[in-house]
Amino acid sequence: MPRVSRRRFLQYTAMAAAASILGCTGYAEQPVLPHYDFESLPGLGVTARRAGMDYGAAIRYPQLSEEAYASAFAKECSVIVPEHALKWEGLRPAAGVWNFQPADALCEFAQMHHMKMRGHTLVWYFAFPKWAQQALDKDSGARMLEEHITTVVGRYRGRVSSWDVVNEAIHPEDNQADGMRDSLWLRALGPSYVERAFSLAHAADPSAELVYNDYGAEFSGKRADAILGLLRRLKDKGAPIHGVGIQAHLWATHAIDVKKLQMFCKEVKQMGLKLLITELDVKDSDLPDDIALRDRLGAARVRQFLETILAEIKPQQILTWGLTNKYSWLAMHDQNASERPVCSLPLDQTYQRTPVWKAIHDCLIKLQSGLN
Ligand code: G3I
């Protein structure tokens, strides 16, 4: 009986655990491949461009000052998305006060590295400063919406190529007509605030790609249908909408509704809209601590998600919500992240490529070779 090394034994045990966990979520995990040097492969942005699309990531302005991270970001990404700097909360700390410096610096970084820049996000119910919440009502709503969008989109005209114009306007749980979210924007302006926002953004920069961004299209439930309903209404009204962003905050242990995601992609294509994957990452807070296991389960989920979409439509961009586990928002929002590093993104805490990196790379290679 050949001796099984401790490392190999641990791998087999982890695989058995993975198979049992993933089995319950309906997706067989990829076999554990022998380690090979994928550090020498080109950045995801290069591979994506060769497949006729883009890969990029969200970044918070303070992270730019870390040289190692800035160069890892430049190596991997062809698109940059400010994680916070272009939100109301990031831009407008107080009434009448505009803080463009972080977004300007990110824009400069993008131009220096020949990256595209996405703007996230002009209208959202969250990250909406207290002063604005108190000011927004039926009388002020139209002026506040116009002033904000015209100022921000106008400032970055020709430099921000694509905007999340409205983010997360759908929330069926609020029991509003058409599954709309019961937000201050809806109360101030009614559902037409969405198409108003798109028209204002188009007027401020006719060359910008305008996107509606939301989450949950990949899961069972009412969200995907409600998002599609909103897109159809926008198209029927002639709103200048060019694409839809699905955020793709996946879970390693929550099954994707493959049929629903396939239907969603077909409908988006039928409407003539582009599809962007805007905030891809994998939550795994309910998994055991074993990092190798979590890496593999997360990568298996990313691979399943991307393969499902790529079989239906070629996304305009694949964007992860952060590039390195070290700076994932999940660490900020997961109280036990300090003992248990996040395993969610293409680079680990020391900027080494992870199985999630490989899953995205492999899907891009398949796209390049037309094997989808
Ligand atoms: O910049 C301030 C800092 O000055 C202050 O000291 C600190 C403590 O209060 O807060 C800092 O702002 C934080 C900001 O992130 C920048 O780091 C906010 O409190 C915090 O709420 C904010 O969280 C962001 C969240 O959106 C709300 O804007 C997350 O980083 C960001 O990853 C998350 O991203 C959202 C997308 O925009 C939309 N889709 C879901 C996604 C995850 O929630």
Side-chain angles (χ1 to χ4, degrees):
M1 160 79 165
R3 263 179 58 73
V4 174
S5 71
R6 184 174 179 284
R7 177 184 170 77
R8 185 64 75 191
F9 172 76
L10 289 175
Q11 260 188 345
Y12 288 147
T13 339
M15 278 177 69
S20 66
I21 291 171
L22 272 178
C24 73
T25 55
Y27 187 63
E29 189 209 355
Q30 297 288 317
V32 177
L33 299 176
H35 178 78
Y36 68 94
D37 172 24
F38 53 81
E39 289 303 330
S40 60
L41 294 173
L44 291 174
V46 171
T47 308
R49 286 229 164 122
R50 288 175 184 159
M53 53 183 292
D54 279 303
Y55 166 79
I59 187 169
R60 293 195 288 274
Y61 165 64
Q63 294 158 7
L64 265 195
S65 56
E66 189 192 325
E67 219 173 290
Y69 186 51
S71 56
F73 199 93
K75 177 180 176 185
E76 296 291 353
C77 299
S78 57
V79 183
I80 187 168
V81 188
E83 188 169 344
H84 188 250
L86 284 173
K87 294 173 179 171
W88 276 69
E89 190 181 63
L91 278 172
R92 307 181 67 178
V97 177
W98 293 84
N99 175 23
F100 287 112
Q101 188 269 331
D104 288 350
L106 289 166
C107 193
E108 215 175 291
F109 180 82
Q111 290 181 315
M112 198 190 317
H113 295 282
H114 311 294
M115 291 175 183
K116 294 174 185 171
M117 180 150 155
R118 291 209 73 237
H120 173 83
T121 175
L122 296 169
V123 181
W124 189 22
Y125 76 94
F126 198 74
F128 194 53
K130 268 267 175 301
W131 69 266
Q133 294 176 37
Q134 287 153 0
L136 177 56
D137 60 24
K138 293 185 190 325
D139 301 325
S140 65
R143 180 189 54 73
M144 284 179 72
L145 190 70
E146 176 163 7
E147 179 197 40
H148 185 79
I149 293 177
T150 305
T151 306
V152 178
V153 177
R155 182 186 182 89
Y156 296 104
R157 181 176 176 140
R159 295 188 290 163
V160 170
S161 56
S162 176
W163 283 97
D164 286 339
V165 176
V166 175
N167 187 48
E168 303 177 12
I170 291 294
H171 198 60
E173 295 81 350
D174 286 351
N175 298 315
Q176 296 295 311
D178 299 320
M180 294 296 286
R181 182 182 295 275
D182 182 14
S183 70
L184 289 172
W185 289 108
L186 184 77
R187 292 181 191 178
L189 294 170
S192 68
Y193 81 89
V194 181
E195 56 263 31
R196 282 186 194 212
F198 276 87
S199 300
L200 290 166
H202 186 63
D205 184 354
S207 66
E209 173 189 79
L210 304 181
V211 174
Y212 173 74
N213 192 51
D214 213 325
Y215 62 89
E218 63 276 14
F219 297 124
S220 50
K222 297 178 187 161
R223 293 193 67 82
D225 295 330
I227 293 167
L228 289 170
L230 174 58
L231 296 174
R232 279 190 211 97
R233 290 195 299 280
L234 290 170
K235 292 288 286 182
D236 292 347
K237 292 173 184 171
I241 178 171
H242 308 115
V244 57
I246 48 180
Q247 294 180 9
H249 292 296
L250 307 177
W251 283 83
T253 53
H254 290 20
I256 288 170
D257 185 330
V258 171
K259 290 241 169 308
K260 183 157 282 236
L261 184 54
Q262 287 168 334
M263 174 279 291
F264 189 89
C265 292
K266 285 184 171 67
E267 293 286 322
V268 166
K269 208 169 171 180
Q270 191 274 325
M271 281 187 258
L273 291 172
K274 296 169 191 168
L275 181 83
L276 293 83
I277 298 166
T278 51
E279 303 181 18
L280 179 60
D281 59 17
V282 190
K283 301 181 192 178
D284 65 0
S285 42
D286 49 352
L287 278 179
D289 285 355
D290 178 293
I291 289 185
L293 173 65
R294 290 164 57 206
D295 264 342
R296 277 208 299 282
L297 295 184
R301 184 64 75 207
V302 166
R303 197 184 293 273
Q304 179 197 27
F305 173 77
L306 292 178
E307 286 178 348
T308 303
I309 288 185
L310 294 177
E312 301 295 337
I313 187 171
K314 180 159 92 168
Q316 168 96 339
Q317 295 177 348
I318 296 176
L319 306 168
T320 50
W321 203 241
L323 179 61
T324 171
N325 292 327
K326 178 177 175 183
Y327 293 131
S328 166
W329 70 287
L330 295 170
M332 291 164 63
H333 296 256
D334 175 357
Q335 63 285 356
N336 67 359
S338 48
E339 302 86 65
R340 207 177 102 122
V342 168
C343 292
S344 166
L345 290 167
L347 300 186
D348 67 15
Q349 280 73 5
T350 59
Y351 313 150
Q352 302 306 306
R353 290 166 170 175
T354 65
V356 165
W357 184 97
K358 189 164 176 317
I360 297 171
H361 170 81
D362 291 353
C363 289
L364 290 171
I365 292 292
K366 274 175 81 173
L367 196 61
Q368 264 183 33
S369 43
L371 289 181
N372 296 87

mmCIF file of all heavy atoms in Angstrom, residues 249-290:
data_model
loop_
_atom_site.group_PDB
_atom_site.id
_atom_site.type_symbol
_atom_site.label_atom_id
_atom_site.label_comp_id
_atom_site.label_asym_id
_atom_site.label_seq_id
_atom_site.Cartn_x
_atom_site.Cartn_y
_atom_site.Cartn_z
ATOM 1 N N HIS A 249 -22.440 39.068 -6.511
ATOM 2 C CA HIS A 249 -21.873 38.739 -5.183
ATOM 3 C C HIS A 249 -22.334 37.316 -4.873
ATOM 4 O O HIS A 249 -23.436 37.092 -4.372
ATOM 5 C CB HIS A 249 -22.373 39.727 -4.117
ATOM 6 C CG HIS A 249 -21.831 41.111 -4.306
ATOM 7 N ND1 HIS A 249 -20.483 41.404 -4.196
ATOM 8 C CD2 HIS A 249 -22.433 42.275 -4.614
ATOM 9 C CE1 HIS A 249 -20.285 42.699 -4.420
ATOM 10 N NE2 HIS A 249 -21.448 43.253 -4.685
ATOM 11 N N LEU A 250 -21.494 36.347 -5.273
ATOM 12 C CA LEU A 250 -21.876 34.931 -5.173
ATOM 13 C C LEU A 250 -21.616 34.380 -3.772
ATOM 14 O O LEU A 250 -20.943 35.033 -2.959
ATOM 15 C CB LEU A 250 -21.067 34.112 -6.207
ATOM 16 C CG LEU A 250 -21.114 34.606 -7.657
ATOM 17 C CD1 LEU A 250 -20.217 33.737 -8.530
ATOM 18 C CD2 LEU A 250 -22.537 34.654 -8.183
ATOM 19 N N TRP A 251 -22.147 33.207 -3.562
ATOM 20 C CA TRP A 251 -21.886 32.473 -2.314
ATOM 21 C C TRP A 251 -21.293 31.119 -2.685
ATOM 22 O O TRP A 251 -21.821 30.454 -3.598
ATOM 23 C CB TRP A 251 -23.195 32.230 -1.555
ATOM 24 C CG TRP A 251 -23.720 33.414 -0.825
ATOM 25 C CD1 TRP A 251 -24.476 34.432 -1.329
ATOM 26 C CD2 TRP A 251 -23.535 33.703 0.559
ATOM 27 N NE1 TRP A 251 -24.773 35.353 -0.357
ATOM 28 C CE2 TRP A 251 -24.209 34.926 0.815
ATOM 29 C CE3 TRP A 251 -22.880 33.049 1.613
ATOM 30 C CZ2 TRP A 251 -24.239 35.503 2.079
ATOM 31 C CZ3 TRP A 251 -22.920 33.628 2.866
ATOM 32 C CH2 TRP A 251 -23.583 34.839 3.090
ATOM 33 N N ALA A 252 -20.260 30.675 -2.021
ATOM 34 C CA ALA A 252 -19.697 29.358 -2.324
ATOM 35 C C ALA A 252 -20.734 28.270 -2.073
ATOM 36 O O ALA A 252 -20.793 27.271 -2.783
ATOM 37 C CB ALA A 252 -18.450 29.116 -1.475
ATOM 38 N N THR A 253 -21.588 28.471 -1.100
ATOM 39 C CA THR A 253 -22.505 27.376 -0.709
ATOM 40 C C THR A 253 -23.948 27.612 -1.139
ATOM 41 O O THR A 253 -24.806 26.812 -0.840
ATOM 42 C CB THR A 253 -22.501 27.236 0.833
ATOM 43 O OG1 THR A 253 -22.771 28.526 1.374
ATOM 44 C CG2 THR A 253 -21.165 26.721 1.335
ATOM 45 N N HIS A 254 -24.220 28.736 -1.801
ATOM 46 C CA HIS A 254 -25.610 28.953 -2.272
ATOM 47 C C HIS A 254 -25.664 28.642 -3.759
ATOM 48 O O HIS A 254 -24.919 29.210 -4.550
ATOM 49 C CB HIS A 254 -26.055 30.416 -2.096
ATOM 50 C CG HIS A 254 -26.253 30.838 -0.677
ATOM 51 N ND1 HIS A 254 -25.696 30.172 0.397
ATOM 52 C CD2 HIS A 254 -26.931 31.876 -0.155
ATOM 53 C CE1 HIS A 254 -26.033 30.785 1.516
ATOM 54 N NE2 HIS A 254 -26.791 31.831 1.213
ATOM 55 N N ALA A 255 -26.580 27.749 -4.143
ATOM 56 C CA ALA A 255 -26.656 27.364 -5.555
ATOM 57 C C ALA A 255 -27.102 28.546 -6.417
ATOM 58 O O ALA A 255 -27.925 29.374 -5.993
ATOM 59 C CB ALA A 255 -27.637 26.211 -5.707
ATOM 60 N N ILE A 256 -26.511 28.617 -7.592
ATOM 61 C CA ILE A 256 -26.982 29.569 -8.608
ATOM 62 C C ILE A 256 -28.194 28.947 -9.276
ATOM 63 O O ILE A 256 -28.239 27.723 -9.485
ATOM 64 C CB ILE A 256 -25.859 29.783 -9.652
ATOM 65 C CG1 ILE A 256 -24.725 30.610 -9.064
ATOM 66 C CG2 ILE A 256 -26.394 30.461 -10.914
ATOM 67 C CD1 ILE A 256 -23.500 30.656 -9.941
ATOM 68 N N ASP A 257 -29.208 29.744 -9.598
ATOM 69 C CA ASP A 257 -30.347 29.221 -10.364
ATOM 70 C C ASP A 257 -29.960 29.304 -11.840
ATOM 71 O O ASP A 257 -30.184 30.323 -12.505
ATOM 72 C CB ASP A 257 -31.600 30.059 -10.070
ATOM 73 C CG ASP A 257 -32.833 29.471 -10.755
ATOM 74 O OD1 ASP A 257 -32.670 28.840 -11.832
ATOM 75 O OD2 ASP A 257 -33.946 29.639 -10.230
ATOM 76 N N VAL A 258 -29.339 28.240 -12.339
ATOM 77 C CA VAL A 258 -28.755 28.244 -13.685
ATOM 78 C C VAL A 258 -29.810 28.571 -14.736
ATOM 79 O O VAL A 258 -29.602 29.423 -15.614
ATOM 80 C CB VAL A 258 -28.069 26.889 -13.981
ATOM 81 C CG1 VAL A 258 -27.652 26.783 -15.434
ATOM 82 C CG2 VAL A 258 -26.864 26.694 -13.065
ATOM 83 N N LYS A 259 -30.971 27.961 -14.633
ATOM 84 C CA LYS A 259 -32.031 28.213 -15.625
ATOM 85 C C LYS A 259 -32.450 29.681 -15.624
ATOM 86 O O LYS A 259 -32.615 30.316 -16.668
ATOM 87 C CB LYS A 259 -33.267 27.344 -15.298
ATOM 88 C CG LYS A 259 -33.077 25.852 -15.539
ATOM 89 C CD LYS A 259 -34.074 25.301 -16.592
ATOM 90 C CE LYS A 259 -33.725 23.885 -17.053
ATOM 91 N NZ LYS A 259 -32.319 23.776 -17.492
ATOM 92 N N LYS A 260 -32.588 30.249 -14.427
ATOM 93 C CA LYS A 260 -33.004 31.654 -14.323
ATOM 94 C C LYS A 260 -31.926 32.571 -14.889
ATOM 95 O O LYS A 260 -32.212 33.530 -15.618
ATOM 96 C CB LYS A 260 -33.277 32.011 -12.854
ATOM 97 C CG LYS A 260 -33.783 33.420 -12.646
ATOM 98 C CD LYS A 260 -34.554 33.578 -11.351
ATOM 99 C CE LYS A 260 -35.926 33.053 -11.454
ATOM 100 N NZ LYS A 260 -37.000 34.015 -11.132
ATOM 101 N N LEU A 261 -30.665 32.251 -14.626
ATOM 102 C CA LEU A 261 -29.570 33.073 -15.136
ATOM 103 C C LEU A 261 -29.495 32.971 -16.659
ATOM 104 O O LEU A 261 -29.307 33.969 -17.357
ATOM 105 C CB LEU A 261 -28.247 32.648 -14.493
ATOM 106 C CG LEU A 261 -27.009 33.467 -14.846
ATOM 107 C CD1 LEU A 261 -27.217 34.952 -14.579
ATOM 108 C CD2 LEU A 261 -25.792 32.947 -14.095
ATOM 109 N N GLN A 262 -29.721 31.757 -17.180
ATOM 110 C CA GLN A 262 -29.725 31.596 -18.642
ATOM 111 C C GLN A 262 -30.864 32.415 -19.259
ATOM 112 O O GLN A 262 -30.675 33.128 -20.247
ATOM 113 C CB GLN A 262 -29.909 30.115 -19.000
ATOM 114 C CG GLN A 262 -28.677 29.249 -18.727
ATOM 115 C CD GLN A 262 -28.979 27.756 -18.815
ATOM 116 O OE1 GLN A 262 -30.121 27.324 -18.611
ATOM 117 N NE2 GLN A 262 -27.959 26.958 -19.084
ATOM 118 N N MET A 263 -32.040 32.380 -18.604
ATOM 119 C CA MET A 263 -33.202 33.142 -19.119
ATOM 120 C C MET A 263 -32.890 34.624 -19.073
ATOM 121 O O MET A 263 -33.134 35.366 -20.029
ATOM 122 C CB MET A 263 -34.420 32.807 -18.250
ATOM 123 C CG MET A 263 -35.695 33.592 -18.515
ATOM 124 S SD MET A 263 -35.734 35.236 -17.747
ATOM 125 C CE MET A 263 -35.836 34.821 -16.001
ATOM 126 N N PHE A 264 -32.280 35.061 -17.970
ATOM 127 C CA PHE A 264 -31.942 36.484 -17.808
ATOM 128 C C PHE A 264 -31.027 36.942 -18.955
ATOM 129 O O PHE A 264 -31.271 37.967 -19.601
ATOM 130 C CB PHE A 264 -31.261 36.711 -16.449
ATOM 131 C CG PHE A 264 -31.061 38.146 -16.097
ATOM 132 C CD1 PHE A 264 -32.041 38.864 -15.412
ATOM 133 C CD2 PHE A 264 -29.889 38.815 -16.460
ATOM 134 C CE1 PHE A 264 -31.857 40.200 -15.090
ATOM 135 C CE2 PHE A 264 -29.706 40.148 -16.147
ATOM 136 C CZ PHE A 264 -30.688 40.845 -15.460
ATOM 137 N N CYS A 265 -30.008 36.146 -19.227
ATOM 138 C CA CYS A 265 -29.055 36.511 -20.298
ATOM 139 C C CYS A 265 -29.752 36.555 -21.657
ATOM 140 O O CYS A 265 -29.522 37.473 -22.459
ATOM 141 C CB CYS A 265 -27.918 35.506 -20.338
ATOM 142 S SG CYS A 265 -26.846 35.555 -18.912
ATOM 143 N N LYS A 266 -30.631 35.598 -21.908
ATOM 144 C CA LYS A 266 -31.351 35.564 -23.184
ATOM 145 C C LYS A 266 -32.213 36.820 -23.343
ATOM 146 O O LYS A 266 -32.236 37.462 -24.403
ATOM 147 C CB LYS A 266 -32.237 34.320 -23.271
ATOM 148 C CG LYS A 266 -31.510 32.995 -23.525
ATOM 149 C CD LYS A 266 -32.514 31.849 -23.689
ATOM 150 C CE LYS A 266 -31.879 30.560 -24.163
ATOM 151 N NZ LYS A 266 -30.972 29.929 -23.199
ATOM 152 N N GLU A 267 -32.915 37.205 -22.265
ATOM 153 C CA GLU A 267 -33.784 38.390 -22.307
ATOM 154 C C GLU A 267 -32.957 39.661 -22.529
ATOM 155 O O GLU A 267 -33.329 40.538 -23.301
ATOM 156 C CB GLU A 267 -34.558 38.512 -20.979
ATOM 157 C CG GLU A 267 -35.582 37.421 -20.716
ATOM 158 C CD GLU A 267 -36.834 37.585 -21.568
ATOM 159 O OE1 GLU A 267 -37.264 38.739 -21.771
ATOM 160 O OE2 GLU A 267 -37.346 36.569 -22.054
ATOM 161 N N VAL A 268 -31.815 39.750 -21.844
ATOM 162 C CA VAL A 268 -30.955 40.940 -21.996
ATOM 163 C C VAL A 268 -30.491 41.046 -23.449
ATOM 164 O O VAL A 268 -30.542 42.112 -24.066
ATOM 165 C CB VAL A 268 -29.744 40.845 -21.034
ATOM 166 C CG1 VAL A 268 -28.667 41.867 -21.384
ATOM 167 C CG2 VAL A 268 -30.203 41.020 -19.590
ATOM 168 N N LYS A 269 -30.099 39.908 -24.008
ATOM 169 C CA LYS A 269 -29.646 39.891 -25.405
ATOM 170 C C LYS A 269 -30.792 40.288 -26.332
ATOM 171 O O LYS A 269 -30.631 41.105 -27.246
ATOM 172 C CB LYS A 269 -29.195 38.462 -25.738
ATOM 173 C CG LYS A 269 -28.137 38.361 -26.791
ATOM 174 C CD LYS A 269 -27.605 36.927 -26.823
ATOM 175 C CE LYS A 269 -26.700 36.678 -27.997
ATOM 176 N NZ LYS A 269 -26.193 35.265 -27.987
ATOM 177 N N GLN A 270 -31.957 39.771 -26.041
ATOM 178 C CA GLN A 270 -33.129 40.035 -26.890
ATOM 179 C C GLN A 270 -33.483 41.529 -26.863
ATOM 180 O O GLN A 270 -33.911 42.109 -27.852
ATOM 181 C CB GLN A 270 -34.290 39.148 -26.370
ATOM 182 C CG GLN A 270 -35.514 39.055 -27.239
ATOM 183 C CD GLN A 270 -36.479 40.198 -26.974
ATOM 184 O OE1 GLN A 270 -36.610 40.658 -25.827
ATOM 185 N NE2 GLN A 270 -37.123 40.673 -28.033
ATOM 186 N N MET A 271 -33.223 42.175 -25.708
ATOM 187 C CA MET A 271 -33.500 43.619 -25.590
ATOM 188 C C MET A 271 -32.403 44.465 -26.243
ATOM 189 O O MET A 271 -32.471 45.686 -26.273
ATOM 190 C CB MET A 271 -33.644 44.012 -24.116
ATOM 191 C CG MET A 271 -34.990 43.683 -23.490
ATOM 192 S SD MET A 271 -35.089 44.384 -21.827
ATOM 193 C CE MET A 271 -34.785 42.914 -20.864
ATOM 194 N N GLY A 272 -31.354 43.790 -26.700
ATOM 195 C CA GLY A 272 -30.268 44.544 -27.340
ATOM 196 C C GLY A 272 -29.400 45.294 -26.349
ATOM 197 O O GLY A 272 -28.745 46.279 -26.695
ATOM 198 N N LEU A 273 -29.406 44.817 -25.112
ATOM 199 C CA LEU A 273 -28.578 45.465 -24.072
ATOM 200 C C LEU A 273 -27.272 44.692 -23.885
ATOM 201 O O LEU A 273 -27.212 43.488 -24.099
ATOM 202 C CB LEU A 273 -29.346 45.489 -22.739
ATOM 203 C CG LEU A 273 -30.563 46.412 -22.677
ATOM 204 C CD1 LEU A 273 -31.330 46.189 -21.365
ATOM 205 C CD2 LEU A 273 -30.148 47.873 -22.815
ATOM 206 N N LYS A 274 -26.235 45.420 -23.484
ATOM 207 C CA LYS A 274 -24.978 44.752 -23.124
ATOM 208 C C LYS A 274 -25.118 44.209 -21.707
ATOM 209 O O LYS A 274 -25.915 44.721 -20.908
ATOM 210 C CB LYS A 274 -23.825 45.761 -23.161
ATOM 211 C CG LYS A 274 -23.544 46.332 -24.545
ATOM 212 C CD LYS A 274 -22.595 47.504 -24.427
ATOM 213 C CE LYS A 274 -22.475 48.280 -25.741
ATOM 214 N NZ LYS A 274 -21.785 49.561 -25.525
ATOM 215 N N LEU A 275 -24.342 43.160 -21.410
ATOM 216 C CA LEU A 275 -24.317 42.626 -20.051
ATOM 217 C C LEU A 275 -22.926 42.878 -19.461
ATOM 218 O O LEU A 275 -21.910 42.616 -20.115
ATOM 219 C CB LEU A 275 -24.594 41.114 -20.062
ATOM 220 C CG LEU A 275 -24.604 40.485 -18.683
ATOM 221 C CD1 LEU A 275 -25.957 40.666 -18.015
ATOM 222 C CD2 LEU A 275 -24.255 38.999 -18.738
ATOM 223 N N LEU A 276 -22.898 43.443 -18.262
ATOM 224 C CA LEU A 276 -21.634 43.625 -17.546
ATOM 225 C C LEU A 276 -21.723 42.859 -16.228
ATOM 226 O O LEU A 276 -22.773 42.880 -15.568
ATOM 227 C CB LEU A 276 -21.388 45.097 -17.238
ATOM 228 C CG LEU A 276 -21.130 46.045 -18.415
ATOM 229 C CD1 LEU A 276 -22.442 46.506 -19.049
ATOM 230 C CD2 LEU A 276 -20.316 47.256 -17.971
ATOM 231 N N ILE A 277 -20.640 42.171 -15.885
ATOM 232 C CA ILE A 277 -20.554 41.554 -14.555
ATOM 233 C C ILE A 277 -19.768 42.550 -13.714
ATOM 234 O O ILE A 277 -18.581 42.784 -13.982
ATOM 235 C CB ILE A 277 -19.846 40.190 -14.635
ATOM 236 C CG1 ILE A 277 -20.657 39.237 -15.528
ATOM 237 C CG2 ILE A 277 -19.651 39.596 -13.244
ATOM 238 C CD1 ILE A 277 -19.904 37.989 -15.939
ATOM 239 N N THR A 278 -20.428 43.202 -12.770
ATOM 240 C CA THR A 278 -19.862 44.429 -12.211
ATOM 241 C C THR A 278 -19.196 44.326 -10.842
ATOM 242 O O THR A 278 -18.382 45.188 -10.497
ATOM 243 C CB THR A 278 -20.981 45.490 -12.089
ATOM 244 O OG1 THR A 278 -22.088 44.900 -11.391
ATOM 245 C CG2 THR A 278 -21.433 46.000 -13.449
ATOM 246 N N GLU A 279 -19.530 43.288 -10.049
ATOM 247 C CA GLU A 279 -18.988 43.267 -8.666
ATOM 248 C C GLU A 279 -18.696 41.843 -8.197
ATOM 249 O O GLU A 279 -18.932 41.471 -7.078
ATOM 250 C CB GLU A 279 -19.988 43.946 -7.714
ATOM 251 C CG GLU A 279 -20.338 45.369 -8.108
ATOM 252 C CD GLU A 279 -21.310 46.029 -7.151
ATOM 253 O OE1 GLU A 279 -21.464 45.538 -6.010
ATOM 254 O OE2 GLU A 279 -21.935 47.039 -7.529
ATOM 255 N N LEU A 280 -18.142 41.038 -9.100
ATOM 256 C CA LEU A 280 -17.956 39.604 -8.836
ATOM 257 C C LEU A 280 -17.074 39.357 -7.619
ATOM 258 O O LEU A 280 -15.983 39.921 -7.491
ATOM 259 C CB LEU A 280 -17.330 38.942 -10.069
ATOM 260 C CG LEU A 280 -17.015 37.455 -10.005
ATOM 261 C CD1 LEU A 280 -18.257 36.628 -9.758
ATOM 262 C CD2 LEU A 280 -16.316 37.005 -11.311
ATOM 263 N N ASP A 281 -17.597 38.574 -6.691
ATOM 264 C CA ASP A 281 -16.782 38.041 -5.595
ATOM 265 C C ASP A 281 -17.566 36.880 -4.981
ATOM 266 O O ASP A 281 -18.685 36.575 -5.419
ATOM 267 C CB ASP A 281 -16.406 39.109 -4.554
ATOM 268 C CG ASP A 281 -17.605 39.799 -3.886
ATOM 269 O OD1 ASP A 281 -18.732 39.257 -3.972
ATOM 270 O OD2 ASP A 281 -17.397 40.873 -3.286
ATOM 271 N N VAL A 282 -16.967 36.183 -4.017
ATOM 272 C CA VAL A 282 -17.610 34.982 -3.463
ATOM 273 C C VAL A 282 -17.592 35.044 -1.945
ATOM 274 O O VAL A 282 -16.527 35.169 -1.345
ATOM 275 C CB VAL A 282 -16.857 33.695 -3.892
ATOM 276 C CG1 VAL A 282 -17.674 32.469 -3.514
ATOM 277 C CG2 VAL A 282 -16.565 33.685 -5.374
ATOM 278 N N LYS A 283 -18.765 35.004 -1.347
ATOM 279 C CA LYS A 283 -18.832 34.975 0.120
ATOM 280 C C LYS A 283 -18.739 33.521 0.562
ATOM 281 O O LYS A 283 -19.351 32.647 -0.048
ATOM 282 C CB LYS A 283 -20.163 35.563 0.601
ATOM 283 C CG LYS A 283 -20.412 36.984 0.160
ATOM 284 C CD LYS A 283 -21.742 37.517 0.682
ATOM 285 C CE LYS A 283 -22.115 38.824 -0.013
ATOM 286 N NZ LYS A 283 -23.422 39.337 0.427
ATOM 287 N N ASP A 284 -17.943 33.295 1.631
ATOM 288 C CA ASP A 284 -17.805 31.903 2.082
ATOM 289 C C ASP A 284 -17.767 31.841 3.607
ATOM 290 O O ASP A 284 -17.183 30.934 4.186
ATOM 291 C CB ASP A 284 -16.545 31.280 1.495
ATOM 292 C CG ASP A 284 -15.284 31.950 2.012
ATOM 293 O OD1 ASP A 284 -15.401 32.896 2.823
ATOM 294 O OD2 ASP A 284 -14.191 31.530 1.625
ATOM 295 N N SER A 285 -18.413 32.817 4.232
ATOM 296 C CA SER A 285 -18.310 32.916 5.699
ATOM 297 C C SER A 285 -18.918 31.699 6.399
ATOM 298 O O SER A 285 -18.677 31.460 7.557
ATOM 299 C CB SER A 285 -19.008 34.191 6.197
ATOM 300 O OG SER A 285 -20.225 34.364 5.499
ATOM 301 N N ASP A 286 -19.712 30.887 5.648
ATOM 302 C CA ASP A 286 -20.314 29.732 6.332
ATOM 303 C C ASP A 286 -19.553 28.435 6.030
ATOM 304 O O ASP A 286 -20.071 27.346 6.198
ATOM 305 C CB ASP A 286 -21.787 29.586 5.937
ATOM 306 C CG ASP A 286 -21.970 29.638 4.426
ATOM 307 O OD1 ASP A 286 -20.966 29.933 3.733
ATOM 308 O OD2 ASP A 286 -23.074 29.390 3.935
ATOM 309 N N LEU A 287 -18.318 28.583 5.539
ATOM 310 C CA LEU A 287 -17.505 27.392 5.239
ATOM 311 C C LEU A 287 -16.498 27.149 6.356
ATOM 312 O O LEU A 287 -16.171 28.084 7.093
ATOM 313 C CB LEU A 287 -16.755 27.613 3.916
ATOM 314 C CG LEU A 287 -17.546 27.335 2.639
ATOM 315 C CD1 LEU A 287 -16.687 27.625 1.421
ATOM 316 C CD2 LEU A 287 -18.028 25.887 2.604
ATOM 317 N N PRO A 288 -15.972 25.918 6.437
ATOM 318 C CA PRO A 288 -14.918 25.643 7.432
ATOM 319 C C PRO A 288 -13.704 26.537 7.171
ATOM 320 O O PRO A 288 -13.607 27.138 6.095
ATOM 321 C CB PRO A 288 -14.569 24.172 7.189
ATOM 322 C CG PRO A 288 -15.635 23.608 6.328
ATOM 323 C CD PRO A 288 -16.285 24.737 5.611
ATOM 324 N N ASP A 289 -12.772 26.597 8.114
ATOM 325 C CA ASP A 289 -11.644 27.537 8.002
ATOM 326 C C ASP A 289 -10.640 27.167 6.913
ATOM 327 O O ASP A 289 -9.918 28.020 6.418
ATOM 328 C CB ASP A 289 -10.905 27.609 9.348
ATOM 329 C CG ASP A 289 -11.735 28.425 10.349
ATOM 330 O OD1 ASP A 289 -12.780 28.956 9.906
ATOM 331 O OD2 ASP A 289 -11.361 28.503 11.525
ATOM 332 N N ASP A 290 -10.584 25.928 6.511
ATOM 333 C CA ASP A 290 -9.529 25.469 5.598
ATOM 334 C C ASP A 290 -9.461 26.362 4.342
ATOM 335 O O ASP A 290 -10.370 26.389 3.515
ATOM 336 C CB ASP A 290 -9.837 24.023 5.172
ATOM 337 C CG ASP A 290 -8.797 23.506 4.190
ATOM 338 O OD1 ASP A 290 -8.764 24.055 3.060
ATOM 339 O OD2 ASP A 290 -8.019 22.619 4.553
#
